[in-house]
Structures are given as C-alpha cells and as structure tokens.
C-alpha cells in the first residue's frame, strides 16, 4: 500500500482533530453544565485514574511500535500478537495498582469519588492499553485514515452516549462514566476490525517475540518516562487541587484547561504525522527543513490564536460553561502563554524522538515535572486556582526553552530558522488567503 504524502496525512489529521475538538468540546460542555463544577471535578478525577495507569503502565509500546513498523523492521503479525499478549500482562498489573490506589488514596487525591464508579473506570484499562499500542501500527504504516477514523468514532460515540445517558435519562455522574467506558470499548473493537481488514493483521499467524518485546521496551522506556512526566505536567495540578482545595476547584480548572488546550490542535495533528515521517527519512537536510518550517509556523499561528483567546477568555468561558464557571476565565488567561509555548515544544519533541533520541525528551520532561509539582505545592495554598495556572505556565515555558536549545544543538540551525516566521511564509499565507477569497467571490456570484 503506497504511503500518502506528508502534506495529505497532515491535512486529514488536522481535519480529524478539528472535528474531534468540536465534538469533544460539545461533550465536555454538556458534562460540565449538567454536572456542575463539583460533579465535573469528580468526573475528571475518576477518569484521571485509568488515564494515569495507561500513562504509567504502557511502557511506550505504542511509540515503539510506530517506530519499528515505520522502519519496516518487524513482521506485522508478530507485532500484533506480541502487543496483545504484552498488554494482557500490563493490564493485570495496572488493575491491581489501581485497586490499591482506590482503597488507600481515594479521599486524599480523588475527592472521595464513589468506589463503584472508580472501579468501573478501572475496567476500561485493558481497552485503553490495547488501543494505544495497536494504533501505533497505523502510525508506523502511515495509515492516518484508519488512525483518524478510530478517534473520530470514539468522540462521536461518547457524545451520543452523553446525550442519552445524561440529557435523556438524567443519570448524572454515573451516566458520564458509562459514556466514557462505552466509547473506549467501541474504539477498541473498531481498531481490531481495521487492522484485520486493511492490513491483514492476524493473531494466529504471529508469534510472541521475546526479542521484539525487549527491543520495544528498550526504545519505549526512553519515550515512556518522558510521556509520564509530560502527562503529570498536564494533570498533576488536578490531584494537587483536589488535595489542597476540593473537587469544585478541579471542575473549574478543567473547564479552563479544556478550552486552552484547543490551541494545540494544529501542533498535535502535525506532531502525530511528523514522528513516523522523521523516522523514515535518512537525509538530515530534509528532516531539518520540514521541522523548521512547521516549528516556526506553529508558533506564529499559536501566538495569533492565543492572543485572540486571551482577549475573549471571560466571554468564552461564560458562553461555553455558564456563570458557575466564571472563575475559569482568569485561569484560562494565565494558562494561555504556556499553552502557546507548549505547541512548539510538541513539534520539536516528536522531531527529536523521530531521530532516535527520545531520552532527551525524557530528561527535560522529568526536570520539568519537578519544577511544575514544586511550584504547584508552593502556589496553590497561597493563590489557589490562579497559583496552579501560573505554575503550569512556568513549567511549559521551561520545557519550551529546553527543547529549542537541544534542537539547535542537534541540528546546528540558528534559532531564527525554526522560531521566526519568514517573508516566504507570509507570502504563502497571503497567496492562500487571496485564493480562498477568489473562490468565495466566485461562489457568491
């Protein structure tokens, strides 16, 4: 199967992410409005538990799968079977750890959420682990059509489930958790179906490869520790807010984060396509050129959209979530500078990992996590929600400066090459806008 072009993959992934963002934003708004700040906070803490286990226990298998499949170094059937069996073992360990956490730390870090709902959320761990590892095959094959379809369907199923279970049947927090569980199971079923249909992946034709498992873990752990630190940078604030304040504060903070992270749509789309692309390239100049163009344009667009969102922060929160979440407006404003810098970091991180040096991201992310957690512990008791947002933005800023310094050392490119928009870039924007304007005029006439 011929691999689609980088531009085409990026375009379709971007479209998928925009559609996904619209659908997921509608879903989060419904959940937030129907549950209120406290219910939203409890919901976020409950689903945070399986998300944490997924992050801690996946061992970077999905990233490694994309890396080795992208290099055509492994048999597809063997990858398929090895990933499934590996994740069964990881699932058992994850659920044991999850149950222990529920029994001993539910009150301190999970807002005293109902035990049954926490255990129900834990039941999703096997599907989350398998989804992540198996979708690495789609990325390695550069089959972003299948990769995108599974994620879009997941968003749609969750929205439909929320409408029925929360709006129609008024099941409250229970309904929100049921929706979360159902959507992940459907994504898993669809992933298996597409792997079988489009790539002919067959469990029976593969063998469990100890060698592949070892290679996967060796490479994956480098990315894995980085991903753990990155995830905790994004979500440590929720646990600390629940610990120092209450679930209401978590709900308000999540509302701000849900809006702020929409600025990452372009960088996330490009980054997911960039990793296998950089992995498959052998020409250093081509790698540098692609990443430099993407990096500076992502930063430029993020600044523009970030400034617009900063100005409209209070209005955006009020319109989307209602007066109950008005405190989230200030939190959103404080998060935006960090989110802007984080958009560029995502592109550079995937370039560095694609060059086979994920350990660099790991070292930066671990140090960044320490800074984030320490600042949150200092700032939350003093400044509450605003303190957490300031701590997070400072951490994102550190991550940005560390990544650009390391990227420069690796590529020997001047900073302006991958940070400052060029005259040629501006001309392309103008050309594109003129083309779009001309099309609109022709349609109206």
């Amino acid at each position: 199967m011929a691999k689609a072009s980088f531009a085409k993959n990026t375009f379709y992934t971007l479209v998928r992410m925009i559609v996904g963002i619209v659908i997921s934003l509608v879903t989060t708004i419904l959940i937030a409005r129907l549950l209120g700040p406290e219910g939203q906070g409890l919901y976020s803490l409950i689903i945070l538990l399986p998300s944490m286990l997924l992050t801690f226990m996946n061992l970077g298998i999905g990233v490694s799968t994309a890396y080795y499949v992208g290099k055509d170094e492994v048999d597809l059937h063997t990858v398929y079977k090895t990933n499934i069996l590996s994740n069964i073992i990881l699932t058992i360990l994850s659920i044991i750890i999850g149950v222990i956490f529920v029994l001993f730390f539910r009150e301190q870090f999970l807002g005293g959420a109902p035990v049954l709902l926490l255990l129900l959320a834990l039941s999703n761990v096997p599907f989350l682990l398998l989804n992540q590892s198996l979708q690495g095959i789609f990325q390695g094959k550069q089959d972003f059509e299948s990769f995108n379809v599974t994620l879009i369907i997941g968003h749609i199923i969750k929205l439909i489930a929320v409408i029925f279970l929360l709006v129609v049947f008024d099941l409250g927090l229970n309904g929100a958790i049921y929706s979360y569980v159902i959507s992940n199971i459907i994504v898993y079923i669809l992933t298996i179906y597409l792997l079988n249909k489009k790539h002919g992946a067959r469990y029976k034709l593969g063998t469990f490869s100890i060698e592949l498992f070892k290679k996967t873990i060796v490479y994956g752990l480098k990315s894995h520790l980085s991903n753990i630190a990155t995830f905790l940078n994004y979500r440590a604030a929720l646990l600390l807010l629940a610990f120092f304040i209450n679930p209401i504060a978590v709900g308000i903070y999540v509302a701000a984060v849900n809006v702020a992270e929409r600025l990452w749509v372009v960088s996330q789309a490009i980054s997911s396509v960039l990793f296998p692309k950089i992995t498959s390239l052998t020409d250093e100049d081509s790698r540098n050129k692609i990443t430099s163009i993407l990096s500076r344009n992502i930063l430029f667009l993020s600044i523009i959209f970030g400034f617009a969102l900063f100005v409209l922060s209070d209005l955006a929160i009020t319109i989307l979530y209602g007066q109950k979440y008005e405190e989230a407006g200030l939190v959103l404003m404080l998060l935006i500078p960090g989110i802007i810098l984080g958009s560029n970091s995502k592109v550079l991180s995937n370039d560095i990992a694609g060059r086979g040096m994920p350990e660099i991201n790991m070292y930066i992310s671990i140090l960044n996590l320490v800074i984030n957690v320490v600042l949150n512990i200092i700032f939350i008791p003093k400044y509450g929600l605003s303190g957490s947002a300031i701590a997070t933005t400072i951490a994102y800023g550190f991550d940005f400066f560390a990544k650009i310094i390391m990227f420069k050392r690796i590529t020997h490119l001047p900073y302006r090459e991958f940070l400052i928009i060029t005259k040629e870039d501006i001309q392309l924007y103008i050309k594109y806008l003129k083309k779009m304007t001309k099309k609109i005029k022709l349609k109206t006439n």
Side-chain angles (χ1 to χ4, degrees):
M1 181 172 60
K3 293 180 180 177
S5 70
F6 178 77
K8 184 178 179 181
N9 281 334
T10 302
F11 174 74
Y12 284 126
T13 302
L14 180 59
V15 170
R16 186 274 300 172
M17 294 195 98
I18 292 173
V19 172
I21 276 178
V22 172
I23 297 170
S24 64
L25 187 58
V26 171
T27 304
T28 58
I29 290 169
L30 282 174
I31 292 172
R33 283 182 170 271
L34 292 168
L35 298 184
E38 184 174 10
Q40 162 79 345
L42 286 171
Y43 169 76
S44 300
L45 291 169
I46 290 170
I47 66 171
L48 180 61
L49 179 58
S51 297
M52 285 174 59
L53 290 169
L54 169 66
T55 304
F56 277 89
M57 299 300 292
N58 72 75
L59 302 185
I61 291 175
V63 175
S64 296
T65 298
Y67 181 78
Y68 287 115
V69 170
K71 285 182 168 293
D72 290 326
E73 291 184 0
V74 290
D75 173 66
L76 181 63
H77 305 298
T78 297
V79 172
Y80 186 59
K81 187 166 188 172
T82 302
N83 280 11
I84 289 175
L85 293 177
S86 301
N87 279 286
I88 289 173
I89 298 169
L90 293 174
T91 292
I92 295 169
L93 293 173
S94 298
I95 291 178
I96 291 171
I97 293 169
V99 170
I100 292 171
F101 194 87
V102 169
L103 293 177
F104 293 99
F105 301 102
R106 180 174 67 93
E107 294 293 337
Q108 296 95 322
F109 293 104
L110 298 175
V115 173
L116 288 178
L117 289 183
L118 287 166
L119 294 178
L120 178 60
L122 277 178
S123 71
N124 239 208
V125 169
F127 303 108
L128 292 171
L129 284 169
L130 283 165
N131 284 342
Q132 187 175 80
S133 67
L134 294 178
Q135 284 178 359
I137 297 175
F138 292 141
Q139 281 187 286
K141 289 287 186 181
Q142 297 191 43
D143 178 11
F144 289 94
E145 181 182 357
S146 298
F147 181 77
N148 294 332
V149 164
T150 57
L151 298 178
I152 281 287
I153 294 297
H155 288 307
I156 293 172
I157 294 297
K158 187 174 181 180
L159 175 58
I160 293 171
V162 164
I163 291 172
F164 273 97
L165 298 176
L166 269 74
V167 179
V168 178
F169 295 105
D170 193 22
L171 295 180
L173 183 59
N174 289 10
I177 300 302
Y178 297 155
S179 304
Y180 169 79
V181 172
I182 291 167
S183 63
N184 287 320
I185 292 173
I186 296 297
V187 169
Y188 167 71
I189 294 170
L190 183 60
T191 298
I192 294 294
Y193 172 77
L194 289 174
L195 283 172
N196 289 340
K197 184 178 180 181
K198 296 191 69 174
H199 300 286
R202 294 292 185 272
Y203 181 85
K204 290 182 179 179
L205 296 179
T207 56
F208 180 78
S209 171
I210 294 294
E211 182 184 354
L212 174 61
F213 179 71
K214 288 179 180 178
K215 283 174 60 178
T216 300
I217 298 303
V218 169
Y219 179 88
L221 280 177
K222 297 175 184 178
S223 296
H224 181 54
L225 294 175
S226 174
N227 289 337
I228 288 175
T230 302
F231 175 84
L232 290 177
N233 272 319
Y234 298 160
R235 299 295 176 252
L238 303 187
L239 295 173
L240 292 171
L241 284 168
F243 181 81
F244 285 113
I245 309 179
N246 54 41
I248 295 175
V250 175
I252 292 170
Y253 189 86
V254 167
V257 170
N258 281 338
V259 177
E261 289 185 352
R262 305 309 169 193
L263 288 174
W264 282 340
V265 57
V266 177
S267 61
Q268 285 177 330
I270 288 173
S271 295
S272 63
V273 179
L274 180 64
F275 175 71
K277 180 67 177 179
I278 292 296
T279 297
S280 64
L281 288 173
T282 55
D283 178 28
E284 196 72 14
D285 289 336
S286 297
R287 287 175 169 179
N288 294 344
K289 183 178 180 180
I290 289 174
T291 303
S292 295
I293 293 171
L294 296 176
S295 173
R296 64 179 183 252
N297 280 279
I298 287 295
L299 186 59
F300 173 70
L301 293 172
S302 296
I303 290 171
I304 291 175
F305 291 123
F307 178 76
L309 184 57
F310 183 90
V311 172
L312 300 171
S313 292
D314 288 329
L315 182 62
I317 291 295
T318 302
I319 290 174
L320 295 175
Y321 294 101
Q323 290 295 330
K324 291 180 180 179
Y325 291 87
E326 61 181 351
E327 287 182 68
L330 177 59
V331 176
L332 175 57
M333 293 173 69
L334 294 171
L335 285 171
I336 285 172
I339 295 292
I340 290 171
L341 298 178
S343 65
N344 181 270
S345 296
K346 286 180 176 294
V347 175
L348 298 183
S349 293
N350 277 274
D351 177 280
I352 292 168
R355 294 171 191 260
M357 295 178 282
E359 65 274 10
I360 293 175
N361 293 329
M362 177 186 71
Y363 299 139
I364 294 173
S365 296
I366 291 172
L367 184 55
N368 193 29
L369 173 61
V370 173
I371 293 170
N372 194 5
V373 171
V374 170
L375 291 179
N376 265 285
I377 291 171
I378 295 171
F379 289 170
I380 290 176
K382 289 185 177 181
Y383 309 112
L385 283 165
S386 297
S388 182
I390 292 168
T392 301
T393 286
I394 292 172
Y396 287 160
F398 168 81
D399 185 67
F400 167 76
F401 287 111
K403 294 282 174 59
I404 64 172
I405 290 170
M406 293 310 303
F407 184 75
K408 179 180 175 16
R409 288 186 178 181
I410 293 168
T411 62
H412 305 292
L413 294 172
Y415 288 113
R416 67 177 181 275
E417 185 78 16
F418 58 93
L419 293 178
I420 307 299
I421 196 98
T422 65
K423 183 180 178 181
E424 289 75 18
D425 294 327
I426 297 294
Q427 288 173 343
L428 281 174
Y429 286 124
I430 294 171
K431 182 179 178 181
Y432 179 76
L433 287 172
K434 285 181 178 179
K435 187 176 179 181
M436 292 298 294
T437 304
K438 187 176 180 181
K439 284 184 178 180
I440 292 170
K441 285 182 179 179
L442 287 172
K443 287 182 179 180
T444 54
N445 293 333

